[in-house]
């Protein structure tokens, strides 16, 4: 007998297990693919940012590339350890916002949230433009269309994320693995080289190395350190999106954070070792990573694989923002600092409104910049350093209050991190201020002010609604239902049937304008009404102007004065066509009346839809 049938031949009903949403959440591996692309892709521009600053001190300055990178790697280790503790202490996500809210006060938490919002939005724009810049470098004929290509890439990433964060992680898992594998191969092969295999990529390009510069000052090293810290953007994304992981969410998120830190640290240090090993000098028009690939692997197919993988990952690193920002917006909405619509989830565990809002604002930035990376880069990474500093400072207070095992060592670690990231935030802002960073200095307090404005509005609404207080017990009031009518149809009959079922008294209202044609139509309606005799009075509302909503709202307000204690309901009958396009054929009278009553009176508005 088949295993699919019972003894009497009937097919048993197999109940499917309930969908708990776990399949729409991240594992450790998919979490890396969804939330670490920003940090991973930063190895394409982090070492280059260090080299370009140190090049001002000539060949002697380039000798400090590895020490500066080691300092950044040390800060990375501090940040990873700190955010691992943030994940454990705040498993609901939010990162620096959650830490500041618990330990530094409401206003500081809003500064942290605002800095993260700005950084996430800028990350999308910078990532997409950088990826497209790599594409147009390989195919110069596409340079004039770079804005449209940027927008197309943004639409693609948005569409994938609207299907769910797991879907985006699966889609980006292969490009992430290819990029990490290619960089690690480049490093390992390069370590066995005595010198560069090829310099074809940089041949014919002018060097940007300063001449006759032999001293390196502390300010130059600080600037190189701050510029290289752009490689640390994205480290906080996993802590912000802990609820996106499968249970146990905190444990999986901590594993992903450690894996991200280990991979990023190895890649940054490895590339810096190769820069020193090959004596690489920055040149115009060729990235440092491209020169390293050329020197380590040769100018062959492997070189182009790394270039293509870098281009793809840079473009897709915008996905980090799509994974982290909607969760942060949800937390802000939960705390009444953003419209509550940002807290809603669609199918597949997607915060759809957050995803769409991020895409729209990023598209605006792309149009503003014309798809040019250099316009946006000065604005980038400032917000994330502010968030880093606030999170580290908050964790110092957290350990001092908790006084758990090894609290002093943990406080010292976070305190050191706060000092380092605070210095980096000041240096980055100061060095990039005249290049456009002043916009962030203005935008951050404006965003905090917007949060406060929304919060006050919700406070006033909550006070009027009596949120948090026990309301009075419900009681019955006299109910009067008003039904606007313009003709005698089956729709009128259905509306009156519903009205007499709802209220103690029902009145039909018809608006009569002063021109002869309307007067004649109203008189005909009154004669037909008398013959029909539905048991409901028909009230004529004269109107001198061609207005439909004003006479009805004036009548409702008069009822409020003459019949206090009466609950007035305006029931608006509307025909709903079978086809969507047929709705354009309607006169929209119901929508006009509903809007006027809702705006000008306290009456209940009820729209009865009669399906045709």
């Amino acid at each position: 007998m088949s295993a699919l049938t019972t003894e009497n031949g009937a097919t048993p009903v197999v109940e499917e297990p309930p969908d708990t949403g776990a399949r729409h959440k991240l594992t450790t591996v998919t979490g890396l693919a969804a939330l670490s692309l920003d940090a991973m892709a930063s190895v394409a521009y982090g070492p280059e940012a260090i080299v370009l600053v140190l090049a001002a001190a000539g060949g002697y300055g380039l000798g400090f590339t590895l020490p500066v990178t080691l300092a950044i790697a040390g800060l990375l280790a501090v940040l990873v350890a700190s955010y691992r503790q943030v994940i454990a202490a705040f498993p609901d996500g939010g990162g620096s916002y959650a830490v500041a809210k618990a330990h530094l006060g409401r206003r500081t938490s809003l500064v942290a949230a605002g800095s993260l919002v700005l950084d996430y939005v800028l990350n999308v724009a910078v990532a997409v433009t950088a990826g497209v810049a790599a594409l147009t470098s390989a195919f110069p004929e596409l340079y004039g269309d770079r804005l449209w290509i940027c927008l197309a890439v943004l639409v693609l990433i948005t569409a994938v994320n609207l299907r769910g964060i797991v879907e985006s992680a699966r889609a980006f898992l292969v490009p992430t693995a290819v990029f990490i594998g290619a960089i690690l191969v480049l490093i390992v092969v390069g370590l066995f080289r005595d010198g560069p295999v090829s310099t074809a990529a940089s041949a014919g390009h002018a060097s940007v190395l300063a001449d006759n510069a032999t001293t390196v000052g502390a300010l130059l090293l600080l600037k190189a350190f701050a510029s290289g810290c752009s490689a640390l953007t994205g480290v906080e994304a996993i802590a912000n999106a802990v609820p996106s992981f499968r249970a146990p969410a905190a444990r999986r998120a901590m594993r992903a954070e450690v894996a991200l830190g280990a991979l990023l640290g190895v890649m940054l240090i490895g590339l810096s070792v190769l820069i020193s090993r090959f004596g690489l000098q920055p040149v115009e028009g060729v990235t440092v990573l491209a020169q390293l690939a050329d020197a380590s692997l040769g100018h062959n197919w492997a070189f182009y694989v790394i270039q293509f993988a870098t281009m793809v990952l840079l473009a897709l690193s915008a996905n980090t923002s799509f994974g982290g920002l909607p969760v942060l917006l949800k937390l802000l909405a939960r705390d009444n600092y953003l419209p509550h619509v940002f807290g809603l989830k669609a199918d597949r565990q997607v915060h759809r409104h957050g995803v769409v809002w991020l895409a729209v604002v990023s598209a605006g930035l792309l149009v503003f910049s014309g798809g040019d990376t250099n316009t946006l880069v000065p604005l980038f990474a400032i917000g994330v350093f502010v968030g880093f500093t606030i999170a580290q400072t908050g964790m110092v207070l957290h350990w001092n209050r908790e006084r758990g095992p090894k609290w002093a060592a943990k406080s010292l670690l976070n305190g050191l991190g706060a000092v380092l990231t605070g210095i980096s935030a000041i240096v980055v802002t100061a060095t990039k201020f005249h290049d456009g960073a002043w916009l962030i200095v203005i935008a951050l307090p404006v965003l905090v002010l917007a949060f406060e404005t929304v919060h006050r509005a919700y406070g006033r609404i909550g006070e009027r609604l009596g949120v948090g207080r026990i309301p009075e017990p419900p009681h019955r009031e006299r109910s009067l239902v008003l039904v606007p009518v313009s003709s005698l149809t089956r729709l009128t009959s259905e509306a009156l049937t519903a009205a007499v079922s709802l209220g103690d008294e029902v009145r039909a209202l018809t608006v009569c304008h002063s021109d002869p044609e309307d007067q004649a139509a109203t008189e005909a309606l009154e004669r037909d009404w008398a013959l029909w005799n539905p048991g409901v009075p028909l009230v004529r509302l004269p109107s001198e102007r061609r207005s439909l909503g004003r006479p009805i709202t004036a009548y409702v307000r008069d009822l409020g004065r003459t019949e206090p204690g009466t609950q007035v309901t305006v029931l608006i009958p509307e025909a709903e066509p079978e086809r969507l396009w047929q709705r354009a054929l309607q006169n929209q009278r119901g929508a006009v009346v509903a809007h006027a009553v809702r705006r000008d009176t306290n009456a209940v508005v009820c729209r009865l839809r009669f399906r045709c």
Side-chain angles (χ1 to χ4, degrees), residues 33-166:
L35 299 171
S36 69
L37 296 184
D38 179 18
M40 294 295 183
S42 65
V43 302
Y45 50 80
E48 183 165 8
I50 299 172
V51 169
L52 288 175
V53 172
L54 294 177
Y60 181 71
L62 292 179
F64 288 86
T65 300
L66 183 56
V68 170
T69 304
L70 289 175
I72 293 173
L75 178 57
L76 172 63
V78 172
L79 288 173
V80 169
S82 175
Y83 275 104
R84 191 173 181 273
Q85 299 302 323
V86 170
I87 292 169
F90 300 93
D92 290 334
S96 58
Y97 168 68
V99 175
K101 180 185 171 186
H103 300 293
L104 296 174
R106 182 175 59 84
R107 187 63 58 84
T108 306
S109 72
L110 295 181
V111 173
S115 65
L116 286 173
V117 169
L118 291 174
D119 188 70
Y120 275 137
V121 172
L122 284 166
N123 173 60
V124 173
V126 170
V128 171
T129 55
V132 173
L135 176 65
T136 55
S137 296
F139 303 98
E141 61 273 13
L142 297 176
Y143 185 79
D145 299 319
R146 64 190 185 280
L147 175 59
W148 294 108
I149 299 174
C150 286
L151 293 174
V153 172
L154 178 61
V155 169
L156 174 64
I157 297 173
T158 304
V160 172
N161 278 277
L162 286 174
R163 290 188 55 82
I165 191 170
V166 170

Side-chain angles (χ1 to χ4, degrees), residues 111-372:
V111 173
S115 65
L116 286 173
V117 169
L118 291 174
D119 188 70
Y120 275 137
V121 172
L122 284 166
N123 173 60
V124 173
V126 170
V128 171
T129 55
V132 173
L135 176 65
T136 55
S137 296
F139 303 98
E141 61 273 13
L142 297 176
Y143 185 79
D145 299 319
R146 64 190 185 280
L147 175 59
W148 294 108
I149 299 174
C150 286
L151 293 174
V153 172
L154 178 61
V155 169
L156 174 64
I157 297 173
T158 304
V160 172
N161 278 277
L162 286 174
R163 290 188 55 82
I165 191 170
V166 170
E167 296 296 329
S168 69
R170 290 170 180 166
F172 304 149
L173 189 59
V174 172
T176 304
V178 169
F179 177 80
I180 294 173
I183 297 298
L184 293 179
V185 168
L186 182 157
I187 293 171
V188 171
V189 172
L191 291 175
F192 287 95
R193 303 287 191 191
D194 294 328
V197 176
S198 169
T199 58
S202 58
H205 293 267
S207 174
V208 299
L209 199 67
D211 296 327
N212 304 320
T214 57
T215 60
V216 178
L219 183 61
L220 185 69
L221 290 177
L222 276 177
K223 187 176 180 180
F225 175 81
S227 297
C229 279
S230 61
L232 303 180
T233 59
V235 171
E236 80 292 345
I238 293 174
N240 291 336
V242 178
S244 298
F245 284 82
R246 291 182 187 176
R251 187 180 304 170
R252 291 181 187 275
M254 285 191 285
R255 290 174 182 169
E257 186 74 46
V258 172
L260 167 61
L263 286 171
L264 182 57
V266 167
M267 289 191 289
L268 287 174
I269 295 173
L271 293 176
S272 295
V273 169
L274 293 186
I275 290 172
S276 301
R277 188 180 186 88
F278 295 143
L280 184 144
Q281 298 183 5
V283 298
E284 294 181 355
V286 181
T287 65
V288 169
L289 186 60
Q291 292 185 66
L292 288 175
D294 196 32
S296 180
L297 303 174
H299 204 76
N300 49 32
W301 63 270
F303 170 83
Y304 288 102
V305 166
I306 288 181
Q307 292 303 102
F308 183 74
T310 303
M311 176 196 71
V312 171
L313 203 72
L314 277 169
L316 298 184
S317 63
N319 195 68
T320 297
S321 295
F322 283 97
L325 182 59
V327 177
L328 176 62
L329 297 183
K330 179 202 75 172
L331 295 177
L332 287 167
R334 184 194 65 187
D335 295 337
N336 296 330
Y337 292 111
L338 281 179
H340 290 168
V341 69
F342 286 107
L344 300 179
K345 273 188 178 181
D347 296 336
R348 300 172 180 267
Q349 304 294 309
V350 180
H351 294 96
R352 187 166 294 167
H353 292 89
V355 170
V356 172
W357 180 87
L358 175 58
V360 170
V361 176
S362 301
L365 278 175
L366 290 175
V367 173
F368 166 76
S369 67
D372 181 31

